[in-house]
Amino acid sequence: MDTAYLSTAYLPPVQYFCKLYHFPKVVIEQHCNYVKQTYRNRCNIAAANGVMPLTVPVERTGDAKCLTKDVRISDHGNWQHLHWQAIVSAYNNTPFFEYYRDDFESFYQKKYDFLFDFNEALRLKIEELLEISPEVSFSQTYEKEPGANSFDFRETIHPKRDYTLDSEFTPQPYYQVFQEKLGFLPNLSIIDLLFNMGPESILILRDSHCSHKQK
């Protein structure tokens, strides 16, 4: 049975949720060393002037090899308030923002100690909204090269890597509220798809994956 290996991610891109939708099994890595400037603590949304990155601040650690599961969120800079205000500003006029607003706002009012827990709580909520139920487990040790029938996306789904190198992912265009001004912006955070397309988001996930059969 084909298995996708993914890193934990903060409001990850459409590409990430395509893997959750299409693969029979998914393993989310928690024993890798934490790496900065990845989707682990960053997402990209569509603001009025273009792509806007949102980054969850994390506490510095004296250990250069801190495991991802042990990374703590920093309270620095009132980030939850700033992230939620940025999301409201970007998506308040989208067709489905009010429909989903309460589902997301609570995540920016509750304190989470660990980044991994925050990301996973959001992932579960988004899966609920998309009405998908992937078979997800968590790594027990770090495997540099997963075994047979495994597909490793832990470092390939990355904000600094070209998503077009993923031969199984072809992002399908969908309505975006700033599209007339900015053109279509592919592979943004899954919330961009949800707020713009609502229940039809699942059709975009279905059609953006080229190889594996849908569940």
Side-chain angles (χ1 to χ4, degrees):
M1 185 178 292
D2 289 344
T3 302
Y5 277 70
L6 299 171
S7 296
T8 186
Y10 170 52
L11 296 177
V14 172
Q15 180 187 13
Y16 187 100
F17 270 88
C18 278
K19 310 311 180 189
L20 286 166
Y21 177 64
H22 286 273
F23 274 84
K25 296 181 68 176
V26 172
V27 176
I28 294 181
E29 182 63 64
Q30 60 178 344
H31 286 87
C32 58
N33 293 330
Y34 181 75
V35 179
K36 297 178 181 179
Q37 299 183 342
T38 68
Y39 286 128
R40 290 173 178 85
N41 70 324
R42 167 180 168 173
C43 71
N44 291 324
I45 65 173
N49 293 320
V51 176
M52 173 187 289
L54 299 177
T55 302
V56 179
V58 298
E59 292 184 358
R60 295 183 178 181
T61 173
D63 185 353
K65 295 184 177 181
C66 181
L67 298 183
T68 295
K69 69 180 182 67
D70 296 328
V71 172
R72 289 181 174 271
I73 295 174
S74 171
D75 290 329
H76 178 72
N78 198 20
W79 72 270
Q80 286 179 293
H81 173 75
L82 295 176
H83 280 214
W84 182 244
Q85 290 305 307
I87 290 169
V88 171
S89 178
Y91 295 111
N92 191 47
N93 292 323
T94 56
F96 293 94
F97 180 75
E98 288 301 322
Y99 186 76
Y100 294 123
R101 177 177 185 140
D102 291 345
D103 292 301
F104 288 98
E105 188 170 14
S106 61
F107 287 97
Y108 296 91
Q109 298 170 337
K110 177 182 176 181
K111 176 178 171 59
Y112 287 82
D113 292 326
F114 291 94
L115 178 66
F116 192 90
D117 295 340
F118 179 56
N119 288 349
E120 289 306 298
L122 277 166
R123 176 184 64 81
L124 289 171
K125 172 55 67 175
I126 294 166
E127 288 174 0
E128 175 189 326
L129 299 178
L130 291 168
E131 298 185 352
I132 62 174
S133 301
E135 182 181 337
V136 173
S137 61
F138 302 102
S139 67
Q140 298 305 306
T141 59
Y142 181 75
E143 297 180 46
K144 185 175 181 180
E145 296 182 2
N149 300 318
S150 295
F151 295 78
D152 190 354
F153 301 104
R154 292 174 295 182
E155 301 303 330
T156 58
I157 298 178
H158 191 291
K160 294 188 176 182
R161 295 187 179 172
D162 187 352
Y163 70 83
T164 63
L165 297 177
D166 181 352
S167 61
E168 295 186 349
F169 176 65
T170 302
Q172 298 300 302
Y174 57 86
Y175 169 81
Q176 291 175 328
V177 73
F178 297 119
Q179 187 166 348
E180 186 172 336
K181 176 183 178 182
L182 303 173
F184 176 69
L185 300 174
N187 205 33
L188 296 177
S189 168
I190 189 67
I191 62 171
D192 184 84
L193 177 58
L194 272 171
F195 290 149
N196 282 298
M197 297 298 291
E200 293 186 9
S201 298
I202 198 69
L203 303 179
I204 300 299
L205 295 183
R206 181 195 68 188
D207 295 341
S208 295
H209 197 83
C210 306
S211 177
H212 286 79
K213 296 177 181 179
Q214 78 174 74
K215 297 178 181 179

